[in-house]
Each structure stands twice: as structure tokens, then as C-alpha cells.
Amino acid sequence: MKNVGEPSQEELATGTRTDHSTRNRVARSVLDHGPSTVADLASRLGLTQAAVRRHLDTLVAENVVEPREQRIYGARTRGRPAKVFALTSCGRDAFDQSYDSLAVDALRWIEQNAGGETAVAAFARARIEAQAAPYRDAVESAPPEERAEALAKALSADGYAATARSAPTPQQGEQLCQHHCPVAHVAERYPQLCEAETEIFSRLLGTHVQRLATIAHGDGVCTTFIPRSTTTTPSASASTAGRNPE
């Protein structure tokens, strides 16, 4: 798999750098916004839907993106869900997500020699706690109704390409969506990283949160549900925080 940012030899020879640049913009838009329909991409990039389809065909052939059925949270509307395009693992790698075996090897050593899964979970909590200082500052300086958005902006500054939006039933809460995960490859093997992250979100926002989907689990976006009510502050469930609910 060649890097998304590098034109092929054929493109160099035929002068079609513009096509490659546009494909890179299409792939980058999927990275930043999560699984997207042709119409979504055309609107965001100012392209025709025919042009988007042409670039997507190439990206699918190169194993950068893959078509999926759109996941619907909440009540389904009539009609068949639109097809969306999501980055593949190879596509994420192309955006410099080179999570070598070093991190997995280190966590495996901790698991085998320093206390098993409990030690891995302790490491994951310590790691996210050290990382969370700017998240805490951002959330605490925002009014309650803007805290999810403030957390999303702080996460984006760390490379998570995060957004906050109303849940399918807005009166129930919001969804925090992370369209990129710098540790997705490691979290595939060690979901304790996702679980610790969900727990810190719960503490920062002062409410129980529920992880609906994770990139490490194979979803296109890490999605965390944040209820409107903040009257209670239970910690996130360790059994489901890093995995999709059954």
C-alpha cells in the first residue's frame, strides 16, 4: 500500500497530479469526518457526485477506503440506508498511523510480567490521566451546555479529529465522535486503552457516558453517547467502555 500522499509512477508520467491530490482530499475528508456518503463528500469538497464516485472507485481499488452500510443509531427511517465509505486499516496507516509493534510488545510484556490485564488497565488509566490535563482545562472553562464541544476541540488538537453533535434524539443527549484514533491498532489488542479513555470522559463531563462504537472494534468512528442530564456521576462500565454494546 503506497502512502496516500505519494503519486504513482503512472500519475507522474501522465501529469495527473491533480487527480491524485483530489483523491487525497477525498480520503482526508473521510478521515476527518468519518464514514461518508458520496453526497456528503461532494458537498464538503465542492465536487460533483460523479467525480467523487470516480475517485472513490480508485481509493477502493487501492484498499484505502471501503464501502459499508450506514449504521443507524436510534429509530430507523424508511428506505434503505445510504452506502457510506470508511477508511480501511491500510488507509489509516497511509496517514502516518504507523503504530509499530513496539507499543503492543511493551503492553504484552506488562501483561505477562507485571500483573496481567490488571497491570495493563492501570497503565492505560495512568496514560490517559497524564494526557488529559488540557482536556480538563478546556471542559472546566466551558459552560455546561458547551462542554462536549470543548472536549471535542481539545481532542482534535491531539489528532483525534473529534466533533460533538446532537444524538438522533437530541433531547436525550449528544454524541462525541472521534474520526481518527492515534492508538487504534494497539487498542485492537488492548481494549483497556478505550475503556480508560471512556472513564476519563465520564469524569471530565461529570456524567455517565456510553461508548457506542470504536475504530479499534472495526467501526468507522469512535462514538460516545453523553446524556443531557448531569445529575449523577457514575464511572463508565469497564465491561463495555471499549466495546460495542451487545
Side-chain angles (χ1 to χ4, degrees):
M1 162 70 192
K2 67 176 183 296
N3 190 293
V4 170
E6 296 174 356
S8 67
Q9 291 301 311
E10 180 181 356
E11 287 166 334
L12 289 171
T14 58
T16 55
R17 277 180 175 272
T18 301
D19 275 358
H20 181 85
S21 175
T22 304
R23 281 203 302 279
N24 193 32
R25 289 175 58 215
V26 171
R28 181 75 209 192
S29 185
V30 175
L31 173 70
D32 289 342
H33 297 275
S36 304
T37 64
V38 170
D40 291 336
L41 290 162
S43 175
R44 286 199 296 263
L45 299 173
L47 300 171
T48 65
Q49 292 192 22
V52 169
R53 288 192 185 94
R54 179 167 60 84
H55 291 300
L56 285 170
D57 285 345
T58 301
L59 290 168
V60 168
E62 293 178 347
N63 195 29
V64 175
V65 302
E66 62 184 0
R68 295 181 179 177
E69 182 176 318
Q70 188 173 31
R71 296 192 62 170
I72 304 296
Y73 299 105
R76 285 184 176 270
T77 57
R78 289 186 176 183
R80 187 174 181 178
K83 182 187 296 184
V84 296
F85 291 84
L87 284 183
T88 64
S89 294
C90 288
R92 291 184 184 280
D93 283 340
F95 284 100
D96 297 325
Q97 188 187 18
S98 52
Y99 296 103
D100 5 274
S101 57
L102 177 61
V104 172
D105 288 347
L107 287 172
R108 184 181 298 116
W109 189 93
I110 291 172
E111 183 179 31
Q112 295 175 350
N113 298 281
E117 291 187 2
T118 301
V120 173
F123 167 83
R125 286 193 294 271
R127 172 189 170 275
I128 192 64
E129 192 67 50
Q131 184 180 337
Y135 308 161
R136 184 173 290 105
D137 292 343
V139 170
E140 290 179 352
S141 63
E145 68 276 11
E146 296 177 12
R147 287 180 175 172
E149 179 66 29
L151 178 56
K153 289 180 179 177
L155 287 164
S156 292
D158 259 358
Y160 288 88
T163 57
R165 65 189 184 195
S166 295
T169 308
Q171 62 269 28
Q172 292 184 351
E174 297 175 276
Q175 288 181 349
L176 177 68
C177 299
Q178 295 157 263
H179 302 287
H180 183 58
C181 176
V183 296
H185 285 34
V186 183
E188 287 178 18
R189 174 65 181 82
Y190 291 102
Q192 293 93 332
L193 296 171
C194 298
E195 292 162 7
E197 182 181 76
T198 308
E199 289 170 8
I200 202 75
F201 289 172
S202 177
R203 295 208 302 275
L204 291 173
L205 297 168
T207 185
H208 173 78
V209 302
Q210 182 183 14
R211 188 55 66 84
L212 301 177
T214 63
I215 293 171
H217 188 272
D219 300 293
V221 181
C222 294
T223 306
T224 305
F225 174 70
I226 305 166
R228 287 286 182 208
S229 173
T230 58
T231 57
T232 58
T233 58
S235 61
S237 166
S239 63
T240 61
R243 307 173 180 83
N244 291 350
E246 297 297 332

